[in-house]
Amino acid sequence: VAGSTVNTLSALDAVNGGAGKDTLKIGFAAGIIALPSLTSVEVIEVQGAADVTVASTPADVTNLNVTQAKNVDVTGGATTAVAVSGATGAKIEVKGGSDVAVTSATLDQTVTVSGIKGAVTVSATTDAGAIKVTGGTNVTVTSTAATKSAAIDAIDATGAIVVTQNLNSDGKADLAGGAITTKGGTSV
């Protein structure tokens, strides 16, 4: 039907990847991705034309990669590494996962990461919105901005916390670094 959006993958489908490392690539229009029953599928790659929400990942999935979307809201399983890049909306939110890597390149985009079992890396390359990381082992946040950087919170990490805030002036605009808050960690 012209102008309508039909998602053909649903929770009623079953995908068995068999032996070896298998990747399920999902091109998605919008909404909540209802993953099918997955067996022996280790990698999920998602490209969305609008907001992307993944509510959970099956036990066999070792990697969840979102490479294109507007806003992102994903929940990774305890053994699933989550990577997010290419988001153009106002927010990226990652809940759960073994390790997490987020790249933010959108003006004023907020990044929230929580409930992570392993390492967290957040890289913001534009005048970012607030960045908040709760949990994780080693936490690394790098924010590089043209004139301003919003608040960065890294709390309740169990390993090393490294926060780098770079402000690059054009010589005309005032520079404004955001507040940096850390709590926990073995070193800061």
Side-chain angles (χ1 to χ4, degrees), residues 15-23 39-42 60:
V15 177
N16 187 331
K21 186 172 184 177
D22 303 293
T23 300
T39 304
S40 298
V41 174
E42 292 76 24
D60 286 355

mmCIF file of all heavy atoms in Angstrom, residues 15-23 39-42 60:
data_model
loop_
_atom_site.group_PDB
_atom_site.id
_atom_site.type_symbol
_atom_site.label_atom_id
_atom_site.label_comp_id
_atom_site.label_asym_id
_atom_site.label_seq_id
_atom_site.Cartn_x
_atom_site.Cartn_y
_atom_site.Cartn_z
ATOM 1 N N VAL A 15 14.363 -17.879 13.531
ATOM 2 C CA VAL A 15 15.574 -17.868 12.712
ATOM 3 C C VAL A 15 16.613 -18.729 13.415
ATOM 4 O O VAL A 15 16.935 -18.503 14.582
ATOM 5 C CB VAL A 15 16.118 -16.439 12.519
ATOM 6 C CG1 VAL A 15 17.417 -16.458 11.730
ATOM 7 C CG2 VAL A 15 15.079 -15.548 11.848
ATOM 8 N N ASN A 16 17.152 -19.733 12.683
ATOM 9 C CA ASN A 16 18.204 -20.581 13.218
ATOM 10 C C ASN A 16 19.426 -20.405 12.330
ATOM 11 O O ASN A 16 19.418 -20.783 11.163
ATOM 12 C CB ASN A 16 17.767 -22.041 13.238
ATOM 13 C CG ASN A 16 18.774 -22.931 13.939
ATOM 14 O OD1 ASN A 16 19.973 -22.660 13.945
ATOM 15 N ND2 ASN A 16 18.287 -24.007 14.527
ATOM 16 N N GLY A 17 20.486 -19.818 12.905
ATOM 17 C CA GLY A 17 21.694 -19.548 12.137
ATOM 18 C C GLY A 17 22.570 -20.751 11.912
ATOM 19 O O GLY A 17 23.452 -20.723 11.068
ATOM 20 N N GLY A 18 22.361 -21.806 12.667
ATOM 21 C CA GLY A 18 23.193 -22.999 12.513
ATOM 22 C C GLY A 18 24.594 -22.776 13.045
ATOM 23 O O GLY A 18 24.862 -21.882 13.838
ATOM 24 N N ALA A 19 25.538 -23.594 12.579
ATOM 25 C CA ALA A 19 26.924 -23.526 13.057
ATOM 26 C C ALA A 19 27.616 -22.269 12.534
ATOM 27 O O ALA A 19 27.244 -21.718 11.512
ATOM 28 C CB ALA A 19 27.685 -24.766 12.599
ATOM 29 N N GLY A 20 28.625 -21.817 13.261
ATOM 30 C CA GLY A 20 29.400 -20.651 12.845
ATOM 31 C C GLY A 20 28.823 -19.363 13.402
ATOM 32 O O GLY A 20 27.837 -19.362 14.128
ATOM 33 N N LYS A 21 29.472 -18.251 13.048
ATOM 34 C CA LYS A 21 29.034 -16.929 13.507
ATOM 35 C C LYS A 21 28.087 -16.346 12.472
ATOM 36 O O LYS A 21 28.460 -16.161 11.316
ATOM 37 C CB LYS A 21 30.237 -16.013 13.719
ATOM 38 C CG LYS A 21 29.881 -14.680 14.321
ATOM 39 C CD LYS A 21 31.130 -13.894 14.682
ATOM 40 C CE LYS A 21 30.774 -12.607 15.376
ATOM 41 N NZ LYS A 21 31.973 -11.865 15.805
ATOM 42 N N ASP A 22 26.865 -16.043 12.897
ATOM 43 C CA ASP A 22 25.839 -15.594 11.981
ATOM 44 C C ASP A 22 25.383 -14.178 12.335
ATOM 45 O O ASP A 22 25.324 -13.805 13.502
ATOM 46 C CB ASP A 22 24.636 -16.538 12.045
ATOM 47 C CG ASP A 22 25.046 -17.964 11.740
ATOM 48 O OD1 ASP A 22 25.436 -18.227 10.603
ATOM 49 O OD2 ASP A 22 24.991 -18.792 12.671
ATOM 50 N N THR A 23 25.027 -13.411 11.292
ATOM 51 C CA THR A 23 24.585 -12.038 11.465
ATOM 52 C C THR A 23 23.193 -11.874 10.879
ATOM 53 O O THR A 23 22.954 -12.256 9.731
ATOM 54 C CB THR A 23 25.559 -11.059 10.762
ATOM 55 O OG1 THR A 23 26.858 -11.218 11.324
ATOM 56 C CG2 THR A 23 25.101 -9.627 10.929
ATOM 57 N N THR A 39 18.000 -18.644 17.296
ATOM 58 C CA THR A 39 18.878 -19.714 17.752
ATOM 59 C C THR A 39 20.146 -19.643 16.923
ATOM 60 O O THR A 39 20.082 -19.550 15.696
ATOM 61 C CB THR A 39 18.205 -21.093 17.557
ATOM 62 O OG1 THR A 39 16.948 -21.096 18.226
ATOM 63 C CG2 THR A 39 19.079 -22.207 18.097
ATOM 64 N N SER A 40 21.280 -19.665 17.577
ATOM 65 C CA SER A 40 22.577 -19.649 16.895
ATOM 66 C C SER A 40 22.751 -18.450 15.967
ATOM 67 O O SER A 40 23.390 -18.552 14.924
ATOM 68 C CB SER A 40 22.793 -20.953 16.118
ATOM 69 O OG SER A 40 22.803 -22.050 17.002
ATOM 70 N N VAL A 41 22.188 -17.307 16.347
ATOM 71 C CA VAL A 41 22.444 -16.043 15.658
ATOM 72 C C VAL A 41 23.196 -15.180 16.658
ATOM 73 O O VAL A 41 22.669 -14.831 17.710
ATOM 74 C CB VAL A 41 21.150 -15.347 15.201
ATOM 75 C CG1 VAL A 41 21.457 -13.969 14.620
ATOM 76 C CG2 VAL A 41 20.414 -16.215 14.187
ATOM 77 N N GLU A 42 24.450 -14.868 16.330
ATOM 78 C CA GLU A 42 25.310 -14.207 17.304
ATOM 79 C C GLU A 42 25.344 -12.683 17.168
ATOM 80 O O GLU A 42 25.605 -11.988 18.142
ATOM 81 C CB GLU A 42 26.743 -14.753 17.180
ATOM 82 C CG GLU A 42 26.886 -16.201 17.619
ATOM 83 C CD GLU A 42 26.352 -17.199 16.589
ATOM 84 O OE1 GLU A 42 26.281 -16.891 15.380
ATOM 85 O OE2 GLU A 42 25.980 -18.317 17.008
ATOM 86 N N ASP A 60 21.700 -16.094 22.831
ATOM 87 C CA ASP A 60 22.751 -16.430 21.865
ATOM 88 C C ASP A 60 23.414 -15.196 21.248
ATOM 89 O O ASP A 60 24.480 -15.299 20.657
ATOM 90 C CB ASP A 60 22.186 -17.281 20.727
ATOM 91 C CG ASP A 60 21.905 -18.723 21.142
ATOM 92 O OD1 ASP A 60 22.245 -19.087 22.285
ATOM 93 O OD2 ASP A 60 21.347 -19.482 20.319
#
